[in-house]
Amino acid sequence: MSFLFKIQIRKNDANNNLSVQLEQRTSSVEAQVRTNENGRLWVIGDLIGSLPPMDKNLRTPWLRNSKGNFIVLWHDHDGVQISGSMFQMHPVFFCIDDDVRWISDNVSWLVHESSKDPLWSKEHLLERLFFNYTLTNRTWFSHIKILEVNSYLNIQGTSLSIHKHTDIHQHFTDTPRSLKKARGDLIDTFRETMKSYYPDEPFAVSFTGGFDGRCVLASSLADHQSVTAFSFGDKNLDDVRIPNKISEKLGISYHNVELDEHYVRNHFRSQAEAMVIESNGMSTVARAHYRYAANWLKTNFNYFLSGNFGSELFRSVHLEGVMTSQIFYHWIQYGMPDSFKNFKKQFPRFSFLDTEIFNGAYLNLVENLECIKKTFPEIPVSAITYYILWEKTIRNYFSPELQMQKNHVVHRSPFLDYNFFSELQQTLYSGAYTNFREKNLIKRMKGQLFYAHFLKKTHRKLYNEKTGKGYRPSDLLSPHGLVKLSFQKILKNTSYDINKDEFGVLKGLKNNAENWMRFVPEQKVWLNNSISPDDIRTLETLVSFGIYWRSLGLK
């Protein structure tokens, strides 16, 4: 479901009272509304459990204990307050007109309803190129912002303010519980957590060659739920072969969303464009397969569960990739170069951007990033990095998938549960207590150790079946298995092919990039020279920008 709230300020009213109107909604799912003598509230999305209280003092405790992905808007005599579920996977975008405040989860509606000219943000483009997502509250449009994670948007009269209701850094402790002492309680907590996320009907479970989805499936089967396992990819991939084989052994239904040549030729382009548009331009074409899978899911199910965010809970990032770029690590450790000219000298792959045109935007972005760094508490850099990922990266990198999926199927992710997150932070299992960019293999595997113990207690057959990593969860808990594990790790590291195109993205880009690039606005002004054909992530970002810009009818 999508929504658009128009909040009209009555300027002639002595008290600057507000008129709140739900202007548009799409989907067969209606907003939940409650009205009483204290005011009115709207809940939009997948709220699992009871409606929120009107009492302001009870709202934050309620949010921390709530489950699902949703938005809440309260309207009472004090004004309007808006927030969302913890970690805010269902985003809130807002913009300010003279006497109207527009609130929506659909950027295109704000672009067309607002009286302001839709100017694209150079700062946001730089963020997307540097980090693959935004670390600030920017969108592609200068006048439209996104509400920060775990925050309230407050509107009182003519004023608009943002207030953080939960600071996750508060969970860091100097005396976390040991793995051994915490293990049993954490396993029991997650087993109970899972029970809250089952819908009252058959559902699908994302099941690949990894650990986290396997734990979700194990719990679902142990609780006698009616499930169908699914994954997507080429039929020869481990993420397809392994779950298919295991599902046959377990006697459960399994479906693979095939990403073959037929998909690349006939579906990649349309699915890539739909993915970008339905994610408010926050995704790139690289996630076309998620949109393609959503087509199958919506035909067969109303709900699916995934192991998303499990790995991010337990590990501290150590490699450069789509979630933590080279520039991300540089910013964390050293800050940013003092001018765009010096930045390009240090990171020459961005030489295609015109220095004069982008220098002002670059300096604005550097100032914003420095403001973010000033909010860091006095805790180890590894913990700071971990909590940045949970306050910035997790929402801004992963939520595009959920934004798209909510138009087709309800995605529930039990590892995102805030109560489980809070308990985990008091133990050494949390990635916050791993050394910065830890190289030691064993120290990085504490999440897999949790998964292994969980599976051993929950579902012995899944505990003893091989994963896509080349070893079984049971291998992690035996001396013989650890020797086998070390060999498999070495083998995988020496045989990994960086040019793998598991989801057809490289082929799809090759077929469509030139056409998509034509829609990138003002590129003749700010593109100095051509982009290296090897710089796939930059190409994905730029063509996705072009697709989204064109979809809004902008020139």
Side-chain angles (χ1 to χ4, degrees):
M1 179 174 186
S2 292
F3 66 89
L4 174 67
F5 281 104
K6 179 182 181 181
I7 301 174
Q8 184 84 44
I9 299 171
R10 297 168 177 162
K11 289 190 173 181
N12 294 328
D13 189 310
N15 297 315
N16 278 326
N17 284 336
L18 305 174
S19 167
V20 180
Q21 185 175 357
L22 181 58
E23 290 280 301
Q24 291 179 275
R25 57 179 180 261
T26 60
S27 168
S28 59
V29 180
E30 294 292 328
Q32 298 183 70
V33 183
R34 171 187 287 171
T35 303
N36 60 28
E37 66 277 7
N38 297 315
R40 194 178 192 193
L41 66 81
W42 292 259
V43 177
I44 299 167
D46 179 37
L47 167 62
I48 304 170
S50 60
L51 287 172
M54 285 299 300
D55 188 333
K56 274 193 171 182
N57 295 321
L58 300 177
R59 292 175 189 176
T60 295
W62 178 87
L63 282 170
R64 291 174 180 170
N65 286 292
S66 63
K67 301 180 189 301
N69 295 310
F70 56 85
I71 299 297
V72 181
L73 186 146
W74 290 272
H75 182 204
D76 57 24
H77 62 277
D78 290 328
V80 169
Q81 189 170 66
I82 304 124
S83 193
S85 47
M86 298 301 292
F87 304 113
Q88 229 149 307
M89 290 296 157
H90 196 149
V92 174
F93 301 101
F94 62 94
C95 66
I96 301 172
D97 278 354
D98 181 36
D99 57 352
V100 175
R101 308 295 181 257
W102 296 101
I103 314 291
S104 183
D105 60 349
N106 189 314
V107 170
S108 67
W109 290 353
L110 299 184
V111 169
H112 294 301
E113 293 290 346
S114 174
S115 62
K116 295 188 176 180
D117 292 334
L119 303 176
W120 66 274
S121 169
K122 295 182 179 66
E123 291 87 349
H124 184 70
L125 176 60
L126 292 179
E127 283 189 276
R128 295 288 293 272
L129 291 172
F130 295 172
F131 307 114
N132 303 312
Y133 50 84
T134 179
L135 284 168
T136 67
N137 67 343
R138 290 189 176 87
T139 70
W140 282 118
F141 300 94
S142 299
H143 67 298
I144 299 174
K145 308 298 181 185
I146 184 171
L147 179 62
E148 296 283 359
V149 166
N150 301 336
S151 297
Y152 290 118
L153 179 65
N154 299 304
I155 302 174
Q156 295 177 298
T158 58
S159 71
L160 183 149
S161 63
I162 295 172
H163 167 69
K164 198 168 192 65
H165 61 66
T166 301
D167 183 357
I168 61 174
H169 298 94
Q170 67 185 347
H171 292 300
F172 185 83
T173 176
D174 293 328
T175 57
R177 296 177 68 196
S178 70
L179 301 184
K180 185 176 181 179
K181 289 182 178 180
R183 183 172 65 225
D185 290 341
L186 272 181
I187 289 172
D188 291 343
T189 296
F190 191 68
R191 282 287 285 122
E192 286 304 308
T193 296
M194 278 292 307
K195 294 175 183 178
S196 300
Y197 287 83
Y198 301 138
D200 296 326
E201 59 183 83
F203 58 92
V205 175
S206 177
F207 181 34
T208 64
F211 282 85
D212 33 22
R214 182 176 296 214
C215 288
V216 172
L217 178 63
S219 187
S220 301
L221 294 175
D223 290 329
H224 309 290
Q225 299 296 306
S226 178
V227 302
T228 295
F230 80 97
S231 59
F232 43 70
D234 184 274
K235 61 184 179 182
N236 296 313
L237 288 176
D238 284 348
D239 277 354
V240 174
R241 290 189 303 101
I242 289 174
N244 187 16
K245 182 178 179 181
I246 294 175
S247 296
E248 285 183 9
K249 287 184 178 182
L250 296 179
I252 63 172
S253 298
Y254 169 80
H255 179 81
N256 176 46
V257 180
E258 184 82 18
L259 301 177
D260 54 11
E261 288 292 335
H262 174 79
Y263 159 74
V264 174
R265 286 195 308 269
N266 299 290
H267 299 289
F268 177 84
R269 178 172 179 171
S270 63
Q271 299 305 304
E273 292 178 352
M275 181 71 220
V276 171
I277 294 166
E278 293 178 21
S279 68
N280 293 291
M282 292 179 71
S283 176
T284 71
V285 296
R287 299 195 222 180
H289 49 287
Y290 285 100
R291 177 59 164 71
Y292 190 57
N295 288 329
W296 174 78
L297 284 165
K298 74 176 180 181
T299 303
N300 296 279
F301 300 96
N302 293 316
Y303 297 86
F304 83 95
L305 270 63
S306 79
N308 279 22
F309 317 109
S311 297
E312 288 71 31
L313 281 171
F314 297 102
R315 69 184 178 201
S316 178
V317 292
H318 66 288
L319 296 176
E320 294 172 4
V322 291
M323 289 178 59
T324 47
S325 66
Q326 177 189 16
I327 300 170
F328 175 87
Y329 284 121
H330 191 280
W331 167 61
I332 290 290
Q333 291 181 279
Y334 313 112
M336 300 289 281
D338 59 2
S339 70
F340 194 46
K341 180 179 180 180
N342 289 333
F343 173 87
K344 286 169 63 174
K345 286 181 180 178
Q346 193 158 351
F347 302 99
R349 77 182 183 92
F350 295 100
S351 60
F352 63 88
L353 294 171
D354 185 276
T355 302
E356 184 176 344
I357 288 176
F358 280 95
N359 189 61
Y362 174 81
L363 294 177
N364 289 339
L365 177 57
V366 169
E367 182 179 352
N368 297 149
L369 294 174
E370 285 306 305
C371 288
I372 292 173
K373 290 190 81 169
K374 288 178 181 177
T375 66
F376 294 170
E378 294 295 322
I379 58 177
V381 67
S382 57
I384 288 172
T385 305
Y386 178 84
Y387 291 126
I388 287 174
L389 290 177
W390 274 93
E391 289 201 323
K392 306 288 185 181
T393 307
I394 296 297
R395 194 273 298 277
N396 293 332
Y397 179 76
F398 282 104
S399 77
E401 296 167 22
L402 280 79
Q403 288 178 58
M404 174 275 296
Q405 288 163 343
K406 68 181 174 58
N407 299 313
H408 308 278
V409 62
V410 176
H411 178 178
R412 291 183 173 178
S413 41
F415 280 112
L416 199 63
D417 186 89
Y418 187 71
N419 286 327
F420 181 68
F421 174 88
S422 301
E423 183 173 336
L424 183 77
Q425 302 313 305
Q426 303 306 303
T427 78
L428 285 174
Y429 277 109
S430 168
Y433 305 106
T434 305
N435 292 332
F436 184 64
R437 306 195 73 173
E438 177 63 69
K439 299 289 193 296
N440 186 295
L441 172 64
I442 301 301
K443 291 182 179 180
R444 293 203 317 266
M445 293 183 65
K446 56 187 178 181
Q448 290 187 25
L449 288 172
F450 172 81
Y451 294 143
H453 283 289
F454 182 87
L455 291 166
K456 182 179 181 181
K457 185 173 182 177
T458 308
H459 201 289
R460 281 296 185 119
K461 289 184 178 179
L462 285 170
Y463 170 66
N464 287 304
E465 289 291 342
K466 190 166 70 171
T467 68
K469 296 181 181 297
Y471 49 88
R472 297 167 174 79
S474 55
D475 291 333
L476 290 161
L477 304 185
S478 72
H480 174 75
L482 287 173
V483 173
K484 179 181 177 182
L485 178 152
S486 299
F487 175 75
Q488 291 289 349
K489 284 281 185 181
I490 294 170
L491 184 63
K492 278 201 168 276
N493 287 341
T494 56
S495 62
Y496 180 70
D497 180 6
I498 197 170
N499 294 312
K500 278 185 179 179
D501 189 18
E502 297 179 346
F503 305 122
V505 175
L506 298 181
K507 292 177 182 176
L509 272 175
K510 182 179 179 181
N511 295 340
N512 298 287
E514 184 176 351
N515 178 60
W516 282 333
M517 277 297 292
R518 294 188 297 112
F519 304 114
V520 178
E522 303 176 27
Q523 57 180 290
K524 292 182 180 179
V525 176
W526 53 265
L527 275 177
N528 262 348
N529 47 51
S530 60
I531 302 161
S532 168
D534 297 326
D535 193 352
I536 299 300
R537 286 180 188 152
T538 291
L539 188 60
E540 290 169 353
T541 297
L542 291 180
V543 300
S544 301
F545 179 25
I547 289 168
Y548 191 58
W549 194 259
R550 180 191 60 171
S551 74
L552 299 176
L554 303 172
K555 296 182 180 180

